[in-house]
Amino acid sequence: MAYSSMTIGNTSSIKRWSHNSRFTKALSVMPPAENDRILDFGTGDGHLVGLLKELCPSVSVCGFDPHLDAMANEVKQRFPDVQFVRERDSIVGGPYDKVYCLETLEHFVGPPLMDIVTFLTQQTAPNGHILVSVPIEIGLSSLLKNLFRMAAGQRHRGTTWKIVWDSFIGNTAAIARPPSETGWISSHLGFDFRVIPVLFAKCGFEVESFGYSPIPLPTHMINSQVFFRFARKA
């Protein structure tokens, strides 16, 4: 299944709204500026790359994803100067003024996750910024998500009532997250967004700002995603 059909093109109007809202939120939290060098890590279908170029045509953008969606080809046709790469070693043009990493880090755990965080910080210019969004999979938000997934026939593989409960109470340590051979974890089950600032702090980065989407209220309890904007510690 194409990435775009699971996100901005999802058959569920609620999911389409949620995923489209995160792009609006991302661009409001960290808008592009003239001549920015930008990396979109985990670009998926390249939708964010296209939005960045529409907003600010002078930016240079590299979109990385080992599983590029075919929709990225359409973005490339509209903006021939953008780069899409499947190999991390092929990422060129840094260090970057702005690094976007939306809905990606939740698919990793342990050393593979720390490796990506370290890489993102190394790719960021001295005065650059990193924007990370990840799903909220604990608390009331998690409970509502899992109930919706069950009702819509889109439950994550391995979902049980015990996992739903452990997610609700924040007992993520009790939820096994076995990775694939590449380190990728397809399910969000057991992910705790609170680990993200801790990992970036280990690389000398601090949270400049944070917020939630799609509902403009300062709580994770009824939202789907959380956004962190990072900068190097002074």
Side-chain angles (χ1 to χ4, degrees):
M1 181 182 290
Y3 179 75
S4 54
S5 65
M6 296 185 291
T7 56
I8 58 174
N10 198 288
T11 54
S12 165
S13 60
I14 295 177
K15 281 202 167 186
R16 287 199 307 273
W17 168 65
S18 176
H19 283 289
N20 279 289
S21 294
R22 68 181 167 92
F23 290 111
T24 302
K25 179 70 174 182
L27 294 172
S28 68
V29 174
M30 193 168 79
E34 290 292 327
N35 301 312
D36 268 348
R37 294 163 296 170
I38 297 175
L39 171 64
D40 181 20
F41 190 94
T43 192
D45 55 12
H47 185 65
L48 178 63
V49 171
L51 294 177
L52 290 166
K53 290 293 291 185
E54 289 173 3
L55 284 173
C56 202
S58 68
V59 300
S60 59
V61 190
C62 177
F64 161 78
D65 202 304
H67 306 289
L68 275 173
D69 190 283
M71 292 294 291
N73 294 326
E74 296 185 14
V75 176
K76 179 70 173 177
Q77 290 177 357
R78 289 192 291 131
F79 305 104
D81 62 315
V82 304
Q83 290 183 308
F84 287 111
V85 298
R86 297 177 184 269
E87 302 291 335
R88 208 165 82 170
D89 291 344
S90 299
I91 295 175
V92 296
Y96 293 92
D97 302 301
K98 294 185 173 76
V99 174
Y100 294 81
C101 185
L102 309 185
E103 307 299 297
T104 298
L105 298 184
E106 67 274 13
H107 293 288
F108 297 88
V109 69
L113 174 56
M114 191 69 232
D115 175 65
I116 294 174
V117 170
T118 301
F119 179 80
L120 295 179
T121 59
Q122 291 173 341
Q123 290 294 314
T124 306
N127 294 319
H129 306 270
I130 304 172
L131 183 66
V132 172
S133 79
V134 288
I136 298 167
E137 296 292 343
I138 59 172
L140 179 61
S141 175
S142 172
L143 178 62
L144 296 175
K145 279 184 179 181
N146 281 311
L147 292 177
F148 173 82
R149 289 164 181 159
M150 291 176 175
Q154 298 181 6
R155 72 171 66 190
H156 286 203
R157 181 179 298 177
T159 300
T160 65
W161 284 111
K162 182 180 185 306
I163 286 176
V164 171
W165 175 254
D166 284 334
S167 298
F168 174 56
I169 65 176
N171 185 25
T172 55
I175 303 173
R177 305 199 74 208
S180 65
E181 292 182 358
T182 63
W184 174 266
I185 302 170
S186 61
S187 172
H188 296 176
L189 298 174
F191 174 73
D192 189 337
F193 72 87
R194 294 172 296 187
V195 73
I196 298 302
V198 176
L199 298 180
F200 275 88
K202 291 181 179 180
C203 294
F205 277 65
E206 61 185 355
V207 177
E208 283 189 306
S209 66
F210 70 94
Y212 306 97
S213 78
I215 301 172
L217 292 175
T219 174
H220 73 272
M221 298 303 289
I222 56 173
N223 272 294
S224 295
Q225 296 95 19
V226 59
F227 289 76
F228 299 101
R229 191 178 71 188
F230 295 99
R232 280 186 171 81
K233 294 180 181 177

